[in-house]
Amino acid sequence: MKKTLKYLKPYWRGVAAGLFLKLLGSVAELFLPLLLEYVINDVATNAALSSDVKIRMIVISGVLMVVCSLTALLGNIFANRLTVKSSGNMTHDLRYDLFQKTCYLSSKQTDEIGVPSLISRLTSDSYYVNQMTARTLRLGVRAPILILGGLILAFWRDVTLALVLLACVPIVGIVVSLITRKSVPLFSNVQKKQDVMVRDLQENITGVRIIKALGKTEYETEKFDGTVKDLASREFRANRLNSLSNPLATLILNLGLVAVIVVGAVYGKKTGTILAFLQYFVIILNAMIALSKIFVVISRGSASAARIAKVLDLDVGETVEELPEGDKSYKIVFDDVSFSYNGVKDDVRNVSFALKPGQTLGVIGATGSGKSTLVALMMRFYDVGKGRVLIDGKDVKSYTLKELRAKFGAAFQNGFLISDTVRKNVDYGRDLSEEEIDEAIDAAQARELVEGLEGGLDFVLAQKANNLSGGQKQRLLVARALAGKPEIIVLDDSSSALDYATDAALRRAISTRYENITKVIVAQRVSAVKNADLILVLDDGEVIGLGKHDELLNTCREYAMIYAAQMGGEEYGTLSAE
Ligand SMILES: Nc1ncnc2c1ncn2[C@@H]1O[C@H](COP(=O)(O)OP(=O)(O)O)[C@@H](O)[C@H]1O
Ligand SMILES: [Mg+2]
């Protein structure tokens, strides 16, 4: 809560001005009943005054009442504007920082919180914090002033009637706070369900093709329908309870009004005084209802603020350690590396290899064998559990992440394209020259593809590049990895959707044009890694073969088997995935 409130600080001027106007408006509102009482008791029903004087006094009082009303109205309008602006600005800053933090989270931290939860924190939670701030600024000052000021003025005017009023206040207070207390957990229930809905929605939208392909549309729709219905019924329960507070408070209010009139009649109070009290009654009880509403918003908002603060508080500070250096003549060294995602079972075990600058490492293995994990460890998306990873003889933990990642140009298996132009996708904010982009497009075998698109490099991709085929996407991702001439090119399963001829052309282009660059090629096809200087065969996280193609054919039975199976298939031409 503190953490998020801090975001209001830069806008304190607007907040202060808003609160001041609120104060002014509320005080002006409290004067209205006093003026009314004066007009009725001391002017209209005063036999000692001549009718001329009466009219003059009534007009003056009327003008004063209009002035008070206008002050209350304008004060409120401008104050609301200022507070909405301050809370809006605050939400913007909060979201900005939260997004930035989200981008800097380590892969491990992202796994722990979960992407859907991060999304809800950025969207609905920050909205609730906004609501909390805006409402509190709007009513947090106004309501207490109206209640306290109203009570003080009431006691000043007439103690007997004020006691009637005072008796009603705790009753309303108890009813409203009981309802509020019950509805708060219901609202946090709603929030939890919202996380589930976002997760389901995200899964469905991402997997819409697969869902369609497997004919699971109905199943998923029904499942989603269930989630939405559940959410709706939770929301209904929370709101149903919460909406009780208004009618109940109104009932008490009306009973109180009757009590004021009865007591006023019994004690022979003047009409003006009774009227003024009726007004105080309405003002005070409405303020109490408003205050109870703020409590709901505050409890919901502070739960959200806590969720946001949890992300903001995560330490993404890089730990750059001074660690012993290794042999600088190698570009990449894995020294007995083991790693586990969940800390239970090692997802890769005792991996060791060394690669010289300019060499190509081929990594092959079944899905789930740990290929992408090796890449992730190399680029320090995760820290190794055991052993060490050296780049240029230096432990990856001794680099800043920026330094380390600047060495890589990577196309990931699940790499994503932004919904922007082809040029921006390849450049990706690096301000590359036209030649660099062209060169990368050529090498990635994407020239023909780009020329075929309307506008060429300026063609705008749809969201998730849905207007491109799998192979087209892969080529653009590869172009991005190649552009800017990194020191190490990483292609993780980046040609799986290319036809054999294009794949072969891509491999040729990479090995000739990027001769001096170190390459890591992850693939399922032997043909993609066959010419590598070093091939690593992975099986269930373990290295079962390491060497050149010819050696592996003799030393690694699995490799030879994969090779035999795949070469057999490819003689019959290629199965294009496009
Ligand atoms: N983010 C993750 N959290 C937990 N487990 C993961 C994660 N990513 C991959 N794994 C697990 O690690 C193993 C290796 O995965 P991966 O390296 O992606 O395989 P490959 O790239 O060879 O298909 C798999 O068993 C997979 O389930
Ligand atoms: Mg993979």
Side-chain angles (χ1 to χ4, degrees), residues 327-539:
D327 192 340
K328 280 202 178 309
S329 66
Y330 288 102
K331 192 75 188 171
I332 308 175
V333 174
F334 268 56
D335 182 8
D336 197 25
V337 171
S338 296
F339 167 76
S340 166
Y341 283 102
N342 52 20
V344 181
K345 149 187 170 293
D346 277 345
D347 291 292
V348 292
R349 270 182 305 282
N350 310 105
V351 177
S352 294
F353 66 86
L355 201 67
K356 290 237 156 93
Q359 284 191 321
T360 301
L361 172 74
V363 182
I364 192 164
T367 25
S369 57
K371 306 183 295 294
S372 299
T373 306
L374 284 191
V375 169
L377 293 174
M378 203 178 285
M379 297 183 68
R380 208 189 167 194
F381 286 116
Y382 296 91
D383 278 336
V384 296
K386 196 187 98 195
R388 54 186 192 151
V389 178
L390 308 175
I391 304 287
D392 287 323
K394 208 166 128 178
D395 197 304
V396 287
K397 290 179 185 166
S398 307
Y399 288 96
T400 62
L401 287 179
K402 202 170 167 191
E403 250 181 316
L404 177 69
R405 305 224 171 118
K407 289 176 180 285
F408 289 87
F412 297 113
Q413 193 171 10
N414 51 0
F416 76 106
L417 292 160
I418 46 175
S419 44
D420 209 322
T421 60
V422 173
R423 187 197 312 277
K424 287 237 171 85
N425 266 288
V426 175
D427 180 44
Y428 215 67
R430 292 176 291 186
D431 280 326
L432 301 176
S433 69
E434 201 75 2
E435 292 90 68
E436 283 175 302
I437 290 182
D438 273 339
E439 213 181 323
I441 296 262
D442 282 334
Q445 309 302 308
R447 170 62 53 204
E448 227 175 292
L449 151 71
V450 170
E451 274 167 7
L453 297 172
E454 204 179 306
L457 281 173
D458 294 314
F459 177 79
V460 178
L461 304 186
Q463 207 183 3
K464 295 204 163 190
N466 279 337
N467 49 352
L468 294 183
S469 77
Q472 289 174 328
K473 278 188 243 182
Q474 280 192 336
R475 274 176 277 172
L476 292 187
L477 287 169
V478 171
R480 181 196 289 165
L482 300 179
K485 290 256 166 71
E487 291 175 33
I488 303 168
I489 294 172
V490 175
L491 303 181
D492 186 353
D493 225 353
S494 297
S495 56
S496 56
L498 300 186
D499 59 77
Y500 184 66
T502 312
D503 190 12
L506 172 67
R507 276 200 308 276
R508 256 197 318 278
I510 290 177
S511 64
T512 52
R513 290 177 192 231
Y514 299 87
E515 202 185 345
N516 299 321
I517 295 180
T518 312
K519 291 154 281 244
V520 176
I521 315 275
V522 175
Q524 306 238 17
R525 288 186 198 164
V526 173
S527 57
V529 298
K530 199 171 145 225
N531 296 319
D533 300 288
L534 188 66
I535 301 171
L536 194 135
V537 189
L538 271 179
D539 179 41

Side-chain angles (χ1 to χ4, degrees), residues 173-188 238 241-242 245 292-293 295-296 299:
I174 289 169
V175 168
V176 164
S177 69
L178 272 182
I179 290 174
T180 310
R181 198 174 307 161
K182 286 227 158 177
S183 63
V184 166
L186 291 179
F187 277 118
S188 54
L241 183 66
N242 200 39
S245 64
S292 77
K293 294 262 157 70
F295 283 126
V296 176
S299 69

Side-chain angles (χ1 to χ4, degrees), residues 7-128:
Y7 280 84
L8 210 49
K9 223 171 162 186
Y11 308 107
W12 71 271
R13 271 173 235 271
V15 171
L19 292 184
F20 175 72
L21 287 175
K22 279 270 153 184
L23 185 80
L24 200 68
S26 312
V27 171
E29 203 171 328
L30 285 172
F31 271 105
L32 283 171
L34 284 185
L35 284 166
L36 182 75
E37 185 189 0
Y38 170 73
V39 171
I40 295 176
N41 285 358
D42 301 338
V43 183
T45 53
N46 192 343
L49 296 176
S50 71
S51 57
D52 269 7
V53 176
K54 268 189 190 174
I55 290 175
R56 214 176 45 234
M57 300 290 274
I58 290 175
V59 168
I60 293 175
S61 307
V63 169
L64 274 178
M65 284 174 91
V66 170
V67 169
C68 278
S69 303
L70 281 179
T71 311
L73 178 77
L74 293 177
N76 245 330
I77 290 178
F78 284 106
N80 285 352
R81 271 196 197 179
L82 283 169
T83 50
V84 164
K85 202 165 171 189
S86 311
S87 54
N89 282 336
M90 167 199 163
T91 315
H92 164 268
D93 296 353
L94 189 66
R95 281 201 171 131
Y96 180 88
D97 279 7
L98 188 60
F99 179 70
Q100 200 179 35
K101 191 76 173 209
T102 307
C103 295
Y104 279 118
L105 291 182
S106 73
S107 308
K108 195 171 158 77
Q109 289 166 326
T110 314
D111 287 354
E112 270 162 14
I113 301 175
V115 174
S117 190
L118 284 171
I119 294 178
S120 356
R121 281 165 220 233
L122 267 163
T123 50
S124 55
D125 282 322
S126 46
Y127 172 73
Y128 290 140

Side-chain angles (χ1 to χ4, degrees), residues 163-412:
L163 285 175
V164 176
L165 219 167
L166 196 63
C168 291
V169 167
I171 303 178
V172 175
I174 289 169
V175 168
V176 164
S177 69
L178 272 182
I179 290 174
T180 310
R181 198 174 307 161
K182 286 227 158 177
S183 63
V184 166
L186 291 179
F187 277 118
S188 54
N189 242 339
V190 169
Q191 252 158 308
K192 272 188 211 131
K193 196 71 197 178
Q194 256 165 359
D195 261 10
V196 176
M197 186 186 73
V198 173
R199 194 193 62 208
D200 281 6
L201 198 61
Q202 207 198 13
E203 273 177 10
N204 275 329
I205 291 175
T206 329
V208 72
R209 288 252 174 94
I210 297 168
I211 291 168
K212 277 187 184 159
L214 295 177
K216 289 281 184 207
T217 316
E218 221 162 280
Y219 167 76
E220 287 294 341
T221 314
E222 257 164 42
K223 199 172 95 185
F224 191 67
D225 189 42
T227 310
V228 176
K229 274 198 183 126
D230 190 15
L231 180 63
S233 86
R234 283 178 198 219
E235 255 172 357
F236 174 68
R237 275 199 298 271
N239 284 321
R240 182 178 55 187
L241 183 66
N242 200 39
S243 62
L244 267 182
S245 64
N246 257 347
L248 278 180
T250 313
L251 176 72
I252 301 169
L253 177 80
N254 286 327
L255 290 177
L257 291 180
V258 174
V260 165
I261 294 171
V262 170
V263 173
V266 170
Y267 285 86
K269 301 292 176 193
K270 288 183 178 168
T271 324
T273 314
I274 294 178
L275 277 178
F277 263 81
L278 296 184
Q279 287 201 354
Y280 280 128
F281 229 89
V282 175
I283 292 178
I284 291 175
L285 293 191
N286 276 335
M288 289 188 71
I289 295 173
L291 211 53
S292 77
K293 294 262 157 70
I294 306 185
F295 283 126
V296 176
V297 180
I298 287 182
S299 69
R300 193 163 65 175
S302 50
S304 288
R307 277 159 58 89
I308 291 175
K310 204 167 165 200
V311 178
L312 289 177
D313 282 341
L314 284 177
D315 186 14
V316 292
E318 311 169 28
T319 42
V320 181
E321 300 167 51
E322 282 292 328
L323 291 166
E325 297 201 343
D327 192 340
K328 280 202 178 309
S329 66
Y330 288 102
K331 192 75 188 171
I332 308 175
V333 174
F334 268 56
D335 182 8
D336 197 25
V337 171
S338 296
F339 167 76
S340 166
Y341 283 102
N342 52 20
V344 181
K345 149 187 170 293
D346 277 345
D347 291 292
V348 292
R349 270 182 305 282
N350 310 105
V351 177
S352 294
F353 66 86
L355 201 67
K356 290 237 156 93
Q359 284 191 321
T360 301
L361 172 74
V363 182
I364 192 164
T367 25
S369 57
K371 306 183 295 294
S372 299
T373 306
L374 284 191
V375 169
L377 293 174
M378 203 178 285
M379 297 183 68
R380 208 189 167 194
F381 286 116
Y382 296 91
D383 278 336
V384 296
K386 196 187 98 195
R388 54 186 192 151
V389 178
L390 308 175
I391 304 287
D392 287 323
K394 208 166 128 178
D395 197 304
V396 287
K397 290 179 185 166
S398 307
Y399 288 96
T400 62
L401 287 179
K402 202 170 167 191
E403 250 181 316
L404 177 69
R405 305 224 171 118
K407 289 176 180 285
F408 289 87
F412 297 113

